[in-house]
Amino acid sequence: MKIQIKNISKSFGNVHANKNIDLEIKSGIHALLGENGAGKSTLVKIISGQFAPDNGQILINETPIQLGSPKESISNGIGLLNQDPLDFFNLSILESFLVGINENAPYRHLKDIRKKISSLLEKYEIKIDLDTKTRSLSIGERQQVELLRLLYNGAKLIILDEPTSAFSLDQKKNMFQTLRQLSQEGIIIIFVSHKLDEVFEICDSASILKYGEIVENLVQPFDSDQIFSVMFDQFEKSSIDVEHNERLDNFSINFLDKDISPQVDISNSYDFSQGTVIGFAGLQGSSNDKFLQDFFSSDKNLSFIRINSSTSLLKNEFYYMPADRLERGLFGEMTLLEHFGLSEASKKNILNWKSVRKHVDSKIGEFNIKATPESKMHELSGGNQQRVMLSLMPQEKSILLLEQPTRGLDVNSAHNVWEMILARKNQDIAVLFSSTDIDEIWEYSDVVISVHGETIIDVSNKNILTKDSIARFVSGLV
Amino acid sequence: MILLENTLVTVISLSTPLIIAVIGETISEKGGVINLSAEGTIMICALFGFIGAYETDFAVVGFLCAMVLGAGISFFISYCDINLRMDQIAVGFVLTILCINLSNFLGQDYVRINGPLITKFSIPFLSDIPFFGSVLFNHSLITYLSIVLIPLSWLFLNKTSYGLAIRASGENPSSASSRGINVKRMRLLSCVMGGSLLGLAGASFSLYTKYGWSEGHTTNYGWIVLAIVIFGGWNPFRAAVGAYSFGLLQVLAIKAQSVTLALSQILPLLPFPLMIFILIFIQYINRDEIKNVPKWIVAILGGNQPQSLGKKLPEEIK
């Protein structure tokens, strides 16, 4: 089996998602690397037939295949392992193998099919009963079974798109073992990931995508410095010093042991002075947002924050701003006025709309919101919605938990939002935010907590870090 | 023994429409469409079944009319769902009200008149078996059909490629589509199949179990059907048990009328609290951390609603 990708280009509007991509893979496990938006998933979707490219062709064993049809790709031996596979919850595993099977009347050969699948399971040492419902499998098990399903359907080339994002260490080990075995049997594997530690561990060769183009092809042994310098834009050392304020209301963050990566040996309790901006850095799909949610949910079994060693904080001492503004933060069909009325309503039984309106008017001016008190939230732009969320912050001293505060905003709006956050920095106890953008983490944090997968891999003051080191941490390299 | 025999005979023939309707609704919901118009569909199909049979003097024509009408109504629902991306619940509910009122209006000329009758058909030899012969093999054809439908629909859903494709589409349309299944067609197919069975059920009311037509002839049976489908965990056999139990309670209620009025009024209500209890229980045993429930109970009562039931298809499905 040999796959040649020739001159593939695909653009959406003015954005070149893929530009003249040339790639040839003959064997082994090949990694596709790149930052978010580098064009990895577009390329994967073109290979697996979900997107038709604007031009270019793909050859399997020197013969061009028809592009833009999943069926055609499958019949040419290309199998895509989704992040969340085998999701017919109420079907048994055997049944989910049968869905969309090429054979006519699969129920007539059920015995043979069952035997074939069982022997596959045996071969790869997966102990799962074929009659269990998919619902009762873990995500890791589902992915392994899905991998076998692809093989069963005759896949010779398997694409894994961020396969390990929901894996435990054990599951990862099993998966990698299966992958190695497959690779030895001559099956080509394309491994899409931005977790560099995994790529280093398992891949034989790699291509780095950037702005939709392949900028570098590499083979083992990989040079991590080289990969970094190619993958990310050049980082210059920052000279900003972190201010240390000697003030009251110092606070501490306690993490649970299971929140700390087993790879590192760091403390799970940290003290900070008031007004510290703490950035939770992590890749997309990592748990960096979850830590903020945990702090807010104030469940005893989760990581928690303490102030001046008092035992617990009240919920109204936090201001939590979720990442998806319209789904969890604001009410799309309600007006600005009603939003302010709502936060007032938790304090009073009878609302004085006149004073609420006055309050809204002053906030509109203060936060530069381009809307009237009667505007509905879904009518506003993303930047304006974000400013509304910020304007709803309580007046009192609080702990701000901001989940991806500038997600989906353009540079100007993002800057604007940060000015507003930092204006409160000295007044508030703490600002905790999460982001997948290392530049943002770098620019605004005093302390950076790097999250890889589900666990924390590093907690450091910014002045001993570089952007490179943060990028390494979030990619899982210690 | 005679009493038991008579009771069972009554339950089985009385439950005929309910069984057919419950199986129809189950098939429809397995494909992902809640046919919420069941109440209205059954009602108007009962009327048109009767009209068809009365005007032509052939009961078969009546059944066919009702099936076609039921299929038409469900086609409309699935068209609104699949092509116009409207809410299934809203469309179904509006159709219910429309069909009920329309049947009352159109049926004025047919109230309490006589049409063709369906006769009993004893199966030779089998009906001579003591007890079972009269309980199972001495009914009308439509009752036999309702009994046969139970295993047939189960086989269709669980042992054929079409059934599998329908279930896969009802579970996860995106995954099914990416495996090359025409999800829209499967949704339409299951909904129309289910709808035509609902129509057949309507006709078996007006032509058999509750002979004739009157205003509000089948009131509440549609809602009961929707509830029994849930009770049955989207499994034809369990749904049939539910339907027969409901029939049994009704028969008992009629018999209890001569003894005590209160009991006869309470008995028909029993299925509803029971259903709520079963639903809570299903939720409970489906949770992963629950391990102390015996396996056989899970096997009997487990099962979950199709994951995409009532949801619009994702936009990317063509």
Side-chain angles (χ1 to χ4, degrees), chain A residues 188-237:
Chain A
I188 300 177
I189 291 165
I190 297 180
F191 191 87
V192 182
S193 180
H194 38 217
K195 291 185 189 160
L196 290 176
D197 57 334
E198 293 176 356
V199 171
F200 285 13
E201 186 182 337
I202 192 161
C203 295
D204 306 309
S205 53
S207 303
I208 300 174
L209 275 103
K210 198 168 164 185
Y211 307 123
E213 291 178 88
I214 290 189
V215 287
E216 191 87 44
N217 285 309
L218 309 150
V219 288
Q220 280 276 31
F222 297 129
D223 176 359
S224 63
D225 286 331
Q226 187 196 359
I227 290 185
F228 266 106
S229 64
V230 177
M231 247 175 97
F232 300 100
D233 289 317
Q234 280 306 308
F235 298 145
E236 70 275 12
K237 276 227 160 191

Side-chain angles (χ1 to χ4, degrees), chain A residues 47-213:
Chain A
I47 300 175
S48 66
Q50 281 155 294
F51 287 166
D54 299 336
N55 53 36
Q57 56 179 176
I58 294 178
L59 287 76
I60 301 273
N61 295 334
E62 310 286 347
T63 30
I65 63 169
Q66 189 199 326
L67 296 172
S69 142
K71 254 191 169 164
E72 194 64 25
S73 292
I74 292 168
S75 65
N76 278 300
I78 296 171
L80 170 67
L81 182 72
N82 281 313
Q83 277 162 311
D84 189 14
L86 256 171
D87 25 20
F88 303 112
F89 270 28
N90 289 320
L91 265 58
S92 73
I93 295 170
L94 181 68
E95 285 173 332
S96 26
F97 266 73
L98 298 180
V99 174
I101 204 168
N102 290 325
E103 228 166 310
N104 280 326
Y107 280 101
R108 265 184 230 157
H109 317 285
L110 208 55
K111 251 189 194 155
D112 296 341
I113 294 174
R114 181 188 282 272
K115 217 189 248 166
K116 265 194 232 165
I117 300 173
S118 306
S119 65
L120 258 182
L121 285 175
E122 234 163 75
K123 185 173 164 198
Y124 294 97
E125 291 172 24
I126 299 171
K127 288 181 195 70
I128 297 171
D129 179 11
L130 278 181
D131 291 316
T132 45
K133 292 260 188 311
T134 324
R135 182 187 329 124
S136 54
L137 299 188
S138 72
I139 288 195
E141 287 173 319
R142 273 195 262 158
Q143 284 198 314
Q144 278 188 314
V145 175
E146 173 75 357
L147 202 60
L148 293 194
R149 195 186 66 81
L150 297 177
L151 293 177
Y152 180 82
N153 285 355
K156 296 276 180 287
L157 170 107
I158 291 176
I159 307 167
L160 296 102
D161 192 359
E162 302 283 349
T164 58
S165 48
F167 275 21
S168 70
L169 273 179
D170 268 354
Q171 288 169 338
K172 200 159 100 178
K173 230 167 88 188
N174 288 339
M175 181 72 154
F176 281 7
Q177 195 191 337
T178 313
L179 289 182
R180 282 200 196 93
Q181 204 175 338
L182 289 176
S183 160
Q184 276 158 17
E185 286 162 18
I187 288 181
I188 300 177
I189 291 165
I190 297 180
F191 191 87
V192 182
S193 180
H194 38 217
K195 291 185 189 160
L196 290 176
D197 57 334
E198 293 176 356
V199 171
F200 285 13
E201 186 182 337
I202 192 161
C203 295
D204 306 309
S205 53
S207 303
I208 300 174
L209 275 103
K210 198 168 164 185
Y211 307 123
E213 291 178 88

